[in-house]
Amino acid sequence: VRPDKKVRTPYLEMSSQQQEVLQKVQDIAKSNEDWAILKASTYWKINSTSPYFISEFYPNPESISPTTLVDWSPKLKFTFDAIKDLKAQPALKDKWHFVYFWDVWAQYLDHYKRYFIEKWVYKDSEIWVIWGSTSAEARELIKEKFNDGRIKLLIWGKPTTEWIDLQGNWVSTHILWLWWNPTQMTQVEWRIWRQWNNSSQVMVSYPLVENSNDLIMFQKFKEKWWRIASLFDYNAPDVKDTKVDYKEQMIALMTDPKDKVAIKMDIETTRLQWEKTIQTSLIKDLERSAVTIKNSTRELDNSKDELIRYENKLQDQKVLYKSHKDNWDTDRLGYDESEIERTKDTIK
């Protein structure tokens, strides 16, 4: 029997450090370069987890202390506090926890581990960090230690959605990075929500930061998941398309009303210019068609006139033929008849 699953989506306020980075990201978004919106959207997404994860602004991870990293990153602080509070409950003190990151931030995972150690929540031996470069042998050792209770906290990256098979007393999972593909998030959830888990209730947490694209991404995630679920239920209602619109993200990214209005005007101007281009192209096509029709009509009229001329000529030839059968050129009649047929084909 699967344990009860509780999904939490706490809304967190941005730190002042994140707000400073957000301003830089907004400046990037205002650029006229083709790559600006995509780059700004990516940085906006990363900033929601931690401003220090953007290497362009903070290229040296070693200069960032574990305390600085966590204190200015609401998601990391919330997750730390949640795990600490769960561990403080007598019935849950021996339960296990997962924190899901993105592999690109591997250089910061050890920082997060050190923070738990410095705050006396767990011992060094009770925490394990794993990401893409972790060997197969190390992964098997982690699984063994986790399942027998020696590891209490696993800080992990993308590979754990695919290979790890954990059981036992797992009680909480905290997902700090939202993927575009809803099945990846579902895989993460199902690592804790499974039959072999001894806990009667488990918690899955999606911390969401205001003024970030977390809200857009989580909404898209839920809509996409509903689309997948609806494939197996013919009674399910239709769900609108859930593609990520970078222009929509850019508008949401801006906090200054003047910037929002300017971007919306720019988008609307671009839309109108595009419609004008399409309409102009259609008008030119119609004009070309009108010329073609006019020319075809003239050619048709000429062919009709030619048909009448040959028909009259043929009749004259037949009359003359009857009067001069003995010395008349019969090939001439055949020529006129063939010309009539040719002209009829042209008209058709």
Side-chain angles (χ1 to χ4, degrees):
V1 178
R2 294 178 185 269
D4 291 334
K5 181 178 68 172
K6 303 295 182 183
V7 178
R8 299 178 61 190
T9 55
Y11 285 17
L12 309 175
E13 187 176 338
M14 268 193 173
S15 68
S16 59
Q17 195 71 17
Q18 284 177 310
Q19 290 172 359
E20 290 181 14
V21 169
L22 177 61
Q23 183 59 55
K24 296 179 181 179
V25 173
Q26 290 172 341
D27 291 340
I28 293 174
K30 294 175 186 177
S31 169
N32 292 324
E33 299 291 342
D34 294 338
W35 46 261
I37 294 179
L38 181 58
K39 182 177 181 179
S41 296
T42 301
Y43 281 5
W44 188 31
K45 190 168 187 280
I46 295 174
N47 186 46
S48 70
T49 303
S50 175
Y52 300 107
F53 291 169
I54 304 177
S55 59
E56 180 178 338
F57 303 150
Y58 301 98
N60 185 12
E62 295 306 317
S63 67
I64 309 299
S65 70
T67 300
T68 299
L69 174 68
V70 176
D71 285 352
W72 295 106
S73 307
K75 283 189 182 182
L76 303 186
K77 189 65 168 66
F78 168 83
T79 301
F80 169 81
D81 289 339
I83 293 174
K84 181 181 177 182
D85 291 344
L86 289 170
K87 186 176 183 293
Q89 300 178 36
L92 302 177
K93 65 183 182 66
D94 293 323
K95 297 290 185 177
W96 315 331
H97 310 273
F98 268 26
V99 180
Y100 179 77
F101 277 86
W102 190 28
D103 260 9
V104 120
W105 308 325
Q107 66 269 38
Y108 283 102
L109 301 186
D110 281 322
H111 284 53
Y112 202 39
K113 172 183 177 178
R114 283 162 49 198
Y115 188 81
F116 278 91
I117 296 170
E118 291 174 2
K119 298 299 181 180
W120 301 96
V121 177
Y122 288 112
K123 300 175 184 177
D124 189 348
S125 60
E126 293 177 315
I127 309 175
W128 205 284
V129 174
I130 179 172
W131 58 85
S133 62
T134 304
S135 67
E137 293 79 9
R139 295 178 186 186
E140 287 301 315
L141 179 60
I142 291 169
K143 183 167 69 173
E144 178 185 333
K145 288 186 175 182
F146 196 88
N147 287 335
D148 67 18
R150 283 177 286 172
I151 295 178
K152 307 293 186 184
L153 173 62
L154 192 57
I155 302 172
W156 50 316
K158 182 183 176 183
T160 3
T161 66
E162 300 160 358
W163 66 266
I164 203 160
D165 181 17
L166 303 173
Q167 303 172 24
N169 294 314
W170 189 355
V171 74
S172 75
T173 290
H174 306 269
I175 300 173
L176 307 187
W177 178 260
L178 298 175
W179 286 92
W180 308 99
N181 185 349
T183 59
Q184 290 175 305
M185 295 297 92
T186 303
Q187 283 182 324
V188 176
E189 287 191 12
W190 282 354
R191 296 300 165 190
I192 188 173
W193 188 49
R194 57 196 310 154
Q195 291 178 332
W196 302 280
N197 192 335
N198 295 328
S199 300
S200 60
Q201 186 178 93
V202 295
M203 182 183 76
V204 178
S205 172
Y206 290 91
L208 307 176
V209 174
E210 64 179 17
N211 286 332
S212 76
N213 79 339
D214 278 350
L215 306 183
I216 293 175
M217 289 301 300
F218 189 73
Q219 179 64 24
K220 298 294 184 186
F221 161 61
K222 299 304 288 185
E223 289 175 0
K224 286 181 178 181
W225 173 244
W226 179 249
R227 286 175 68 89
I228 292 173
S230 67
L231 292 176
F232 301 96
D233 183 1
Y234 70 91
N235 288 320
D238 291 335
V239 181
K240 66 179 182 180
D241 188 21
T242 56
K243 293 184 295 184
V244 174
D245 186 337
Y246 287 106
K247 291 180 179 178
E248 172 190 345
Q249 289 204 31
M250 189 172 179
I251 292 173
L253 172 59
M254 295 301 174
T255 54
D256 188 325
K258 292 182 180 179
D259 290 333
K260 282 184 179 288
V261 171
I263 292 171
K264 288 182 179 180
M265 289 179 63
D266 181 62
I267 292 172
E268 183 64 13
T269 300
T270 302
R271 184 186 67 80
L272 292 174
Q273 288 175 341
W274 177 247
E275 288 188 0
K276 179 182 177 182
T277 300
I278 294 174
Q279 295 301 325
T280 301
S281 178
L282 290 174
I283 290 171
K284 289 182 179 179
D285 286 341
L286 290 173
E287 289 174 345
R288 284 193 293 267
S289 297
V291 171
T292 301
I293 291 172
K294 184 177 180 180
N295 292 336
S296 298
T297 301
R298 184 167 53 249
E299 291 176 3
L300 179 61
D301 291 339
N302 291 337
S303 296
K304 287 180 178 179
D305 291 341
E306 188 176 3
L307 176 61
I308 293 171
R309 183 170 62 84
Y310 275 113
E311 286 178 338
N312 292 335
K313 185 177 180 181
L314 180 60
Q315 292 301 321
D316 292 342
Q317 294 291 337
K318 286 181 177 180
V319 170
L320 291 172
Y321 174 69
K322 290 179 181 179
S323 303
H324 305 82
K325 286 184 179 181
D326 295 335
N327 57 359
W328 194 259
D329 184 4
T330 56
D331 291 338
R332 183 64 178 268
L333 289 175
Y335 172 79
D336 289 338
E337 288 175 341
S338 65
E339 285 298 306
I340 288 173
E341 294 303 320
R342 181 188 64 77
T343 305
K344 285 181 178 179
D345 290 339
T346 299
I347 293 173
K348 291 178 180 179

